[in-house]
Amino acid sequence: MRQAMHRLRIATHGKGLVPFTHDVLGWVASTKIKMGVLTLWCRHTSASLTVQENADPTVLEDIKRYFEALVPEAPGRYIHDDEGPDDMPAHLRTMLTQTQLSIPVADGRPVLGTWQGLYLFEHRGHPHHRDIVLHLIGE
């Protein structure tokens, strides 16, 4: 059994879904681990991770709009607003999604479906640099 760990730094441009599948595929291949489990961990409380369709960009736009309606930025609605009106809504959106993914690895590749891609879901309005930790264990 072997292990490998890596950190991705992803630049965001404000709210939205940022694809990073290609980076993960390249790193997993570089480890030479053929079978195992890949864990992805987002080190932030105002951004999250998701596996989502990677073919039609309107899916990503609809997801973004849905979360805007579900957890609106409404001045006076939240007590916590230390970093602006998108602060608490970003924390709630992260709580409703996920900060960790576990994906099986077979034949040296994450086992993703044909139309699945990996995305960082940025919940803040301004650009950020987000850290994603990758941990692969297998043989």
Side-chain angles (χ1 to χ4, degrees), residues 46-68:
S46 56
S48 54
L49 302 174
T50 189
V51 175
Q52 199 44 256
E53 177 169 334
N54 63 4
D56 183 350
T58 62
V59 170
L60 304 180
E61 186 59 33
D62 283 341
I63 291 168
K64 184 178 170 184
R65 288 181 186 187
Y66 176 81
F67 274 89
E68 290 291 330

Side-chain angles (χ1 to χ4, degrees), residues 88-134:
M88 191 61 210
H91 293 302
L92 292 172
R93 291 172 185 159
T94 298
M95 195 171 113
L96 292 170
T97 52
Q98 52 196 342
T99 54
Q100 176 185 314
L101 299 172
S102 293
I103 303 170
V105 170
D107 299 321
R109 291 181 53 91
V111 182
L112 294 170
T114 302
W115 308 115
Q116 289 182 319
L118 302 171
Y119 294 88
L120 171 76
F121 196 177
E122 176 62 66
H123 302 300
R124 298 300 305 269
H126 297 292
H128 285 84
H129 285 90
R130 302 300 194 172
D131 292 323
I132 308 300
V133 177
L134 311 177

Side-chain angles (χ1 to χ4, degrees), residues 2-103:
R2 295 183 328 155
Q3 297 185 62
M5 194 169 232
H6 181 66
R7 186 182 89 175
L8 289 177
R9 190 153 178 88
I10 298 174
T12 70
H13 303 287
K15 291 181 189 175
L17 291 109
V18 180
F20 67 101
T21 310
H22 184 74
D23 297 323
V24 172
L25 294 175
W27 178 75
V28 169
S30 76
T31 68
K32 307 291 187 213
I33 295 175
K34 297 297 180 191
M35 186 183 313
V37 176
L38 172 64
T39 301
L40 298 91
W41 174 253
C42 180
R43 298 183 62 209
H44 305 278
T45 60
S46 56
S48 54
L49 302 174
T50 189
V51 175
Q52 199 44 256
E53 177 169 334
N54 63 4
D56 183 350
T58 62
V59 170
L60 304 180
E61 186 59 33
D62 283 341
I63 291 168
K64 184 178 170 184
R65 288 181 186 187
Y66 176 81
F67 274 89
E68 290 291 330
L70 184 66
V71 186
E73 291 176 20
R77 182 175 185 158
Y78 310 105
I79 298 168
H80 178 76
D81 63 357
D82 291 354
E83 296 177 32
D86 67 343
D87 193 7
M88 191 61 210
H91 293 302
L92 292 172
R93 291 172 185 159
T94 298
M95 195 171 113
L96 292 170
T97 52
Q98 52 196 342
T99 54
Q100 176 185 314
L101 299 172
S102 293
I103 303 170

